[in-house]
Structures are given as C-alpha cells and as structure tokens.
Amino acid sequence: MAQMESKLLEIEIEPGTASKVSPLLRRVTAPNPSVMTGPGTNSYIVGNKELAVIDPGPSISSHVSALLDACEGAKLRWIIVTHTHPDHSPAAMLLAEATGAELIGATIEDDGHQDTSFKADRELNDGDVFSNDEFSLRAVHTPGHVGNHYCFFLEEEKTLFTGDHIMQGTTVVVIPPSGDMAEYLHSLEKLKELHAEYLAPAHGHVMLDAESVIQGLIDHRMARESKVLAAFERIASGTLDQLLPIVYDDVDPKVLPVAKIALWSHLLKLEIDGRAEKRAAESIDHEVWTLLR
C-alpha cells in the first residue's frame, strides 16, 4: 500500500534484542518479518519496576524468551493486546503462564482472521487506565482496522501505542466486515484529540511528528475516496475488478490484491454515507457498484 513519510526515532530493529526507546519504554521485535508485518511485530515493555507488555506478539519461543529475559528483575503485571490478530496476541498465554500477569484485551467473534487462543482475564473498555507509581496507560478504542482494536496512551511521555491502527512507512489494511473505513477515519480523528508527540507502532520505527502523521493518514484516505468517486466518471458502474485499476493506478501491481480489499472498504463507506449502492450478488467479486447522483 502507499508509503507514508514521517520523522523517525531510528533505533535499530533487531529481533530478540530489548532496545531502550525512552526512560519508560523498551521494544522487543519478533522474528516474523513479512510484507504485511514489515520488520516484525513490536512488543513494548512499559515501566521499570512494575511492567506492562503491549502486544506480546506471535507464539515464537525465542521471542517469548526474549520478553521474559527483558522482564527479569521486575514484576510483569499486565499483558495487553491491541487486537487479536495472529501476529499480536498468541504469545500472551505463554507469557501469562510464565509470570502470572493479567491478560487484557477485547475479544470479538472470529471472522477468520482472529487468534482464537486468546482469552482475556479482563475485557478492555474505552478509557480504561492501567497505572502505578511510574506510569499511567490509557486505553483508547480505535475500531477500523478491526472492530476490537485499541490504542494506548502513555501519559508521562505523550507516547501513543498504535498497534496496527497506524504503521510506520505504510497504510493499514481495513478488512470488512470487522474492519470499517468509516470507523477507521473516525478513530483517527479521535486520536488527534490526545495531542500525542510520539507514535509507537506494532510494525516499524517510532514516529516523532504524531499529529502530522495522523492528519496525513486522514488526507490520504480522503484522497483515495476522491479517486473512487472520480472512477465513476469513467465507468457508470462496475465490479471491484473493473474499478481497481482506475482507483489504484499508482501502486505496484504486486499489492493490487490488498488494494482490492481497501477499495471494497471505501465503497462500503460510500454506501453507508448514502453515496453509492451495490447490486447484490453471490460474492463481492460479482457485486456491481453504482454512484448515487
């Protein structure tokens, strides 16, 4: 998907190594690099004496061992997941079994993309706060990428842990039906109200110009929506496959399968907005979309 530019805190990403990001924050990256995960899933350790781990990551033994080593000498109190996709939450159970820490997250019905092994000790709610003598971590419900997605705001350092809601270097895939483009944009507007200074994503480097990055993502999505609307000037109606090369004529052909999902999410948003409609079909590939004038 589109490459997004930002100022970075370029501390080397080396899987298995606990890298100090700030006085209250360390990062351990899992060895699961891919097109979708970038250099791997970042697990963040917040605190020095009593700890929270955000996004324990995939169930890879070396990664779990690296997290346990990094937590040694302190009490791991909370294991928190931003959402239950398989590259974010499966290691939670293993960490909990080894430490007795409380598992925190929001679970939803499996849409074929969920880590069904995750069982929360406590279900997250918007505004929940996890605090001790060192830090205060606030949960912010940010549906869009998926319905059970949460970001977390570290008050003391103005750092926002963004999970997959905001990733460094690329845009996020919004996969319906649990993913929702309208909710994604609303969640971005909600994050602007925090006035964060740093964005700590689950994939990539920490970003420094937080408010600029958030606004840039909103602008990018709205520009893409404008291209969807413009496509209907060329064809009065069409399927996803007919609209795709018009709306995404500026991306590498290799990412068109992912772009097709993004196009679907944009069309569904336009349908919710009352600006487009589809003719029902046996599959999304056969739906014919028309712009409402």
Side-chain angles (χ1 to χ4, degrees), residues 201-221:
H203 306 286
H205 292 282
V206 171
M207 292 166 274
L208 304 180
D209 46 349
E211 293 193 32
S212 175
V213 171
I214 294 169
Q215 186 60 51
L217 287 170
I218 294 170
D219 294 344
H220 172 78
R221 292 295 187 177

Side-chain angles (χ1 to χ4, degrees), residues 15-17 39-40 68 85-86 90 106 121 125 133 147 183-184 186 192 210 224 230 233 251-252 259 262 285 291:
T17 299
L68 289 172
H85 279 166
D121 294 322
N125 291 290
D133 291 341
E183 288 192 334
Y184 180 73
H186 175 74
K192 287 168 60 176
R224 187 65 69 185
E233 300 298 324
V251 304
D252 189 323
D285 288 331
L291 188 66

Side-chain angles (χ1 to χ4, degrees), residues 95-221:
L95 271 184
E97 289 170 359
T99 64
E102 185 179 19
L103 287 181
I104 312 291
T107 52
I108 57 173
E109 185 176 346
D110 184 24
D111 60 357
H113 302 286
Q114 302 302 310
D115 165 27
T116 56
S117 75
F118 182 79
K119 306 292 185 228
D121 294 322
R122 192 194 331 174
E123 286 279 331
L124 268 172
N125 291 290
D126 189 44
D128 282 353
V129 175
F130 307 91
S131 62
N132 57 26
D133 291 341
E134 285 188 288
F135 64 83
S136 180
L137 198 60
R138 176 157 40 110
V140 185
H141 188 207
T142 50
H145 173 62
V146 66
N148 66 336
H149 195 288
Y150 278 76
C151 293
F152 297 89
F153 188 52
L154 180 59
E155 306 276 359
E156 287 73 14
E157 296 186 342
K158 302 297 182 186
T159 298
L160 183 67
F161 300 94
T162 63
D164 278 358
H165 195 72
I166 300 172
M167 297 195 293
Q168 183 260 311
T170 187
T171 52
V172 173
V173 180
V174 175
I175 307 175
S178 184
D180 185 296
M181 186 62 72
E183 288 192 334
Y184 180 73
L185 287 163
H186 175 74
S187 294
L188 286 171
E189 292 286 355
K190 182 178 178 179
L191 292 181
K192 287 168 60 176
E193 298 172 5
L194 297 173
H195 300 294
E197 295 180 8
Y198 308 97
L199 302 175
H203 306 286
H205 292 282
V206 171
M207 292 166 274
L208 304 180
D209 46 349
E211 293 193 32
S212 175
V213 171
I214 294 169
Q215 186 60 51
L217 287 170
I218 294 170
D219 294 344
H220 172 78
R221 292 295 187 177

